[in-house]
Every structure is written in C-alpha cells, then in structure tokens.
Amino acid sequence: MNQPLQLRSLIPTNAPFSDEQRAWLNGFFQALLAPQPGAAQGALPPAAGAEPAAGPALADNDQAPWHDPGMPMDERLAMAEGKPVALRLMAAMAQQDCGQCGYNCADYANALFLKKEERLTLCAPGGKETARMLKQIAVEIDAAQPTAPAADKGEEAAAPEDVPTIQAAPAGTSRDNPAWATLLSRRRLNRTGSEKTTWHVEFDLSESGLAYEPGDSFGVYPKNPAGLADQIIAMLGARPEGIIGEKTLRDTLIEDVTLSAAPDSLFQLFSYLCAGEQRRKARAFANGEDPDGVLPTMDVLAALHHFPGVRPGAEAFVEALEPLQPRLYSISSSARATPGRISITVDEVRYKIGKRERLGIASTYVGGRMPAGEKLRVYVQKAHGFALPRDPSVPIIMVGPGTGVAPFRSFLQERAAAKAPGRNWLFFGHQRRACDFFYEDELDKLRHDGVLTRLSLAWSRDDQGKFYVQDRMREVGPELWRWLAEGAHFYVCGDAKRMARDVERALVDVIAQWGARSTEEAAAFVKGLKKDGRYQADVY
C-alpha cells in the first residue's frame, strides 16, 4: 500500500518567485507527484468473454448518476427513465443515505423490489413526495420479478432446505427494535443575542449497553406535544380516555402516530365523509394536488380545520395516520472518551404559520419538553461510509458549520483519547462569533493540546459581511491542497441542498487553482477521492 507523500515545499525559499508564484508551482509539482485517487494498484481486467451473473438489476449507490442529495426529484427521475424498477425506486428517494429508513438509498430500493421490505414511507427526508412516487413505481414490482426456471416434466420439485431462523437484531441496533436511554442533561450552546436555539444533549446508555463509533447516528423516538394532541381530540369531539388498541386515544396521539404532515390516507378518509366541493377537494389532496395552495403547511390539526364539517370516528382517524417516525442525529461524542454516555447537538425548530406556532417534534422534545431523568426509545444507526481513517496517522479535514460540527467533535474526542498522531483541521462557521461559536472552550483546549492542528472559522452575520466556510476554504487554498496532496481525508457534514454542494464546488476550485488542473480534471480528482473513501459526507 502506497504511503501518502509528505510534501511541504519543492521550491527553494531563495528562488526568485513571489509567495503566490511559489504556492502555484508547489501545487503544480505536487499534482505530478501526489497519488491519484481512484487509480487501482495491480488490478486485473475481467476475463475475456466473461458473462455477468444472471439476476435482477438492482440499485447501486456507486453506479447511480442521480445519487446527489442536492438534485431535484424530477431531474433524478428523468435520469432514471427507462431503467429497471429497483433503480427508479432509488431515484425517487432523497439520496442522503441518512440511514433513517434503516438502509442506505440503494439498499432500501432493493429491499422494496425484492419484497424484503413493504413500507413505502420510510424515507423521511423525501417526505410525501417520495412516498407518493414510490407507491406509483411499486405497482410494477410484481411484473419485474425474475421467473424461476420450470422443473423438467416428471421431476419432483426439490424439497426446500430448512430455512434458518433469523435472529432479531439486538435491542438498540435497529429502528425496529429500539432500546431505552435516559436523558441526563442539556445545555444551550448559543449565547445571548443569537437568533438560534441549539442544545448539547447528553444521554445515559449504561442500562442499554449500546455501543457506537464516531460517525454513527443516534435515533430517537420523540413524543408529540400533549397540547397538540388535546387540540386534535377536541376537534374530533372524542373522549381522550377512549381506548384505541391497548392505549388511550390521548396516549396514542402523543406516542404512536405522526401529527405533522397530513398523509394522503387522511384526506382519502375525509372524502368518504363529505360530499360536493369538499369531497372534490379531499380527493384532490389525497392525490397530491393542492386546490387551495395550502398543502405544504397542512399538518393533521390544520387538515381538521380545513374540513370543519368532517369528524371521523377516533379509531378510523388513527388508522388513517402514519406511524411516528424516529429522528436521527449525528453523534457528537466518543464512547472511548465518555464511556456509558452519548451526546447529540440539536437545533430547536420553532416557526409560525399564521397565528399558530409549529414545533419540530424531536428537537423540542429532547431540547425542552422532555424532563431530565426520563427515558426514551433509541437506537444506534451505523454509518454508511462516514468514519475516521483506519490509519490513525492519516490527516483529516473536517467541514462542519452549525450543528454539522457534531460528528467532528466525536472525531476529535476519539483521536485525542486514542492519542492518534494524525493531523486534524476543522472548518466551522455560523452567524456570529460572539454568540454562535459552539464548543469554543473545548476546541481551544484541543488546539492547546495539539490535537486540533488548524481551526478555520467563518461568520455570516459579522461585520465582514456574509462569509461562509466555502469562502474560507478558497482563502486557504494552498495549504488545503497541500494536505490533500499528502493524503488527507476530507469530510463534510450539514445541509445537503446548499452548503454541501457549495463546499464541493469550493474544493474543486482549490484543486484546480493550486493543484494545476483544469476544472474538469479537478472535478474528476474529487470523484476519485469519493471512490477511494477519502471524501465522505454526512448531509441532511
């Protein structure tokens, strides 16, 4: 295995060049000497005439050109048009590989196609748009299944072998089999003057014995606000203590069902209970249409207000709702540094539509509504291609503005506890340094201790105007390229729609300018980094 080149400066300090010329020349020669990502060492070509194994066409993250979380669904579906069913199912998903569904995007699509998974509503980032499209494509699954060859006449079918019993996953390692954790504490990370409310939240895992690694995510099952459940019960004219299954109606609404985006099935139920113009509108909403221009903000309570004369029975109403989904958060601690504990970094979501305040269900639950000492259902979602390098001496570059810093706090804690020799560079940004500098004291100590080699900051609302992490990357381009030429792994965590794409563009620009490449060659270099596992993203 080739060791990364330790390249510093190939141009003598007394050479007659300016600093900028010297930096460019260094990049040019380092580009010639640096190991090229994606170049296979000693790979053998496939045997001539080799036939691929027969079987259904399945989705593959690495082979899907639409596997881009910033690409709109209509563009993804256009790219997948005419492709096999599993690939089109994948194209309908949000492409974040967040793991909230319990899979990555390709594996979820394949599980649906192979009928190992029946639930079409697990892609939380894709929401109703994805669920509707999956439902539309899923009707083709049966026709696309491979047909087993028929047995010869007179030949008895072979007796099936004993099917081994599938053992249930240990508690806490799957969304379908959560464990219990106890809320220990929370503290606000913003100071006075911030426009945001962000919490550092810690949980006790000693009872569950859950294990996790840096880069993994923590799934939590929140509870709906009791006040919201009470308003819905009042609108229904139902008894809160009425029994639905094994729970009261009130407990069911708080603990078991989603009260955010109103599902198509709820409008379908409404259409059975009304007539005329109301029925036409209910059917339109059920089909994903928006006759009144309100669908994007229509939660369950708003749906009841929108159809004031429709009051279904409590049991039918609950059956029309979707199950409450867990929420995933990047883990911001290291089990090696804080055994028996786990922490997450949570932006509290609150906003108004009209006069009514809407709440982020999970963020306001763990960030305020849940009392310390209370237990909740949790699980660890193993990372899909987001982890520290196996070699602790490999340098890492981490870009995590806002709550995107969470997994990199875990990375730094892990490397500090393991006394890893690799260099570590963090890019962090937010709105204002005075009130939005998360974990400032911790990061200062890590710098003092020599764990955090470089800390590059960007503030978008301070005096210098809007300045983001991608702007800082371009500003320190020569050194950033030097780290990459020396074999550094690059990580980004945060917003998938804008930030992550802007960061990738900035990286391409840096490589093109300081690595002496064209833009197309720089983009190919980044693609090679991804293929080699040297560019990893945790985006949402």
Side-chain angles (χ1 to χ4, degrees):
M1 179 177 179
N2 291 341
Q3 295 298 317
L5 296 175
Q6 298 299 315
L7 300 176
R8 291 297 177 185
S9 179
L10 299 177
I11 307 301
T13 56
N14 60 353
F17 300 113
S18 68
D19 290 342
E20 184 174 355
Q21 288 171 328
R22 183 178 292 106
W24 189 93
L25 288 168
N26 270 317
F28 175 78
F29 288 115
Q30 288 176 7
L32 293 178
L33 298 173
Q36 299 298 304
Q41 299 296 321
L44 295 176
E51 294 288 339
L58 299 180
D60 183 337
N61 278 342
D62 293 334
Q63 301 300 321
W66 54 79
H67 192 46
D68 177 355
M71 185 181 294
M73 178 184 281
D74 57 348
E75 293 182 23
R76 300 197 305 267
L77 292 174
M79 295 180 76
E81 187 175 359
K83 302 288 186 183
V85 172
L87 279 67
R88 284 185 284 129
L89 288 169
M90 179 192 171
M93 297 170 188
Q95 310 306 310
Q96 293 185 15
D97 282 343
C98 62
Q100 190 152 323
C101 61
Y103 309 86
N104 62 35
C105 295
D107 290 344
Y108 182 27
N110 294 335
L112 290 171
F113 176 72
L114 297 173
K115 297 187 174 182
K116 296 179 180 179
E117 174 63 74
E118 297 180 354
R119 295 167 292 182
L120 299 171
T121 59
L122 298 184
C123 183
K128 293 172 69 173
E129 182 185 38
T130 289
R132 289 193 188 103
M133 187 54 60
L134 291 179
K135 183 178 180 181
Q136 181 177 326
I137 299 172
V139 299
E140 304 176 40
I141 289 177
D142 284 341
Q145 294 296 321
T147 305
D152 292 337
K153 287 185 178 181
E155 181 181 334
E156 293 186 8
E161 297 180 5
D162 291 337
V163 178
T165 302
I166 299 176
Q167 299 296 324
T173 60
S174 160
R175 58 172 282 153
D176 296 322
N177 188 21
W180 292 95
T182 303
L183 175 65
L184 286 176
S185 64
R186 57 177 160 254
R187 60 183 172 90
R188 190 179 176 190
L189 294 174
N190 322 85
R191 299 188 181 100
T192 303
S194 177
E195 299 175 20
K196 303 281 188 176
T197 301
T198 308
W199 300 95
H200 173 79
V201 188
E202 293 198 356
F203 299 90
D204 179 9
L205 298 180
S206 57
E207 184 177 332
S208 66
L210 281 181
Y212 65 92
E213 298 290 336
D216 291 345
S217 297
F218 193 50
V220 301
Y221 278 90
K223 292 182 180 179
N224 290 308
L228 177 60
D230 290 338
Q231 290 180 70
I232 289 173
I233 292 170
M235 289 288 292
L236 292 173
R239 294 168 45 245
E241 70 276 11
I243 300 299
I244 304 293
E246 298 179 354
K247 292 184 177 181
T248 66
L249 172 60
R250 188 173 190 267
D251 287 345
T252 298
L253 292 178
I254 291 173
E255 299 172 1
D256 296 342
V257 295
T258 294
L259 301 180
S260 49
D264 296 344
S265 51
L266 182 62
F267 296 115
Q268 190 70 41
L269 173 63
F270 286 178
S271 73
Y272 300 145
L273 303 175
C274 56
E277 180 64 10
Q278 275 200 319
R279 174 175 290 181
R280 185 191 68 78
K281 286 187 177 182
R283 286 176 174 172
F285 282 128
N287 291 327
E289 301 167 21
D290 194 2
D292 297 329
V294 295
L295 192 57
T297 62
M298 185 88 77
D299 67 356
V300 171
L301 180 59
L304 287 169
H305 281 294
H306 204 73
F307 290 86
V310 177
R311 292 297 174 263
E315 187 169 354
F317 176 77
V318 168
E319 288 180 356
L321 301 180
E322 296 288 349
L324 185 63
Q325 298 280 3
R327 270 60 168 182
L328 279 182
Y329 292 97
S330 299
I331 295 172
S332 58
S333 58
S334 159
R336 188 192 294 256
T338 58
R341 294 190 175 198
I342 196 169
S343 68
I344 56 178
T345 307
V346 181
D347 261 342
E348 186 176 288
V349 177
R350 292 177 183 268
Y351 56 97
K352 279 195 171 184
I353 296 178
K355 295 182 179 179
R356 185 177 150 219
E357 184 180 49
R358 305 287 182 94
L359 305 179
I361 302 304
S363 66
T364 59
Y365 182 56
V366 300
R369 294 187 288 114
M370 181 183 184
E374 184 171 303
K375 295 182 179 181
L376 80 166
R377 295 179 297 156
V378 302
Y379 65 98
V380 170
Q381 178 63 50
K382 302 305 291 183
H384 296 292
F386 191 79
L388 282 165
R390 292 183 180 180
D391 182 351
S393 68
V394 171
I396 61 174
I397 302 164
M398 303 162 284
V399 182
T403 56
V405 74
F408 305 136
R409 180 178 185 264
S410 173
F411 281 17
L412 291 167
Q413 283 190 354
E414 179 76 7
R415 284 202 146 183
K419 295 181 170 52
R423 291 172 293 146
N424 308 293
W425 186 351
L426 174 65
F427 287 82
F428 174 74
H430 210 298
Q431 292 187 347
R432 297 177 177 86
R433 178 174 185 138
C435 52
D436 295 314
F437 194 167
F438 299 166
Y439 304 113
E440 180 178 7
D441 293 341
E442 291 183 28
L443 295 176
D444 283 344
K445 185 176 186 305
L446 288 167
R447 290 181 69 190
H448 180 269
D449 294 343
V451 176
L452 183 54
T453 313
R454 289 198 61 166
L455 176 62
S456 296
L457 303 171
W459 311 104
S460 63
R461 301 292 188 275
D462 276 347
D463 294 339
Q464 80 271 25
K466 293 193 174 183
F467 194 79
Y468 299 101
V469 287
Q470 58 267 27
D471 301 313
R472 187 67 73 194
M473 287 171 59
R474 290 187 176 95
E475 186 179 85
V476 296
E479 184 68 10
L480 185 57
W481 163 248
R482 190 171 295 116
W483 278 52
L484 289 172
E486 293 169 0
H489 286 212
F490 186 90
Y491 300 87
V492 59
C493 178
D495 170 54
K497 298 296 183 184
R498 295 185 60 183
M499 185 278 298
R501 302 190 88 180
D502 291 343
V503 164
E504 184 170 339
R505 289 191 194 101
L507 188 63
V508 169
D509 291 345
V510 166
I511 293 168
Q513 181 176 0
W514 303 105
R517 285 167 162 80
S518 67
T519 300
E520 292 73 18
E521 290 169 339
F525 186 92
V526 171
K527 185 176 182 180
L529 291 177
K530 293 179 179 180
K531 184 176 180 181
D532 290 349
R534 286 182 55 199
Y535 184 114
Q536 300 183 20
D538 177 13
V539 295
Y540 39 82

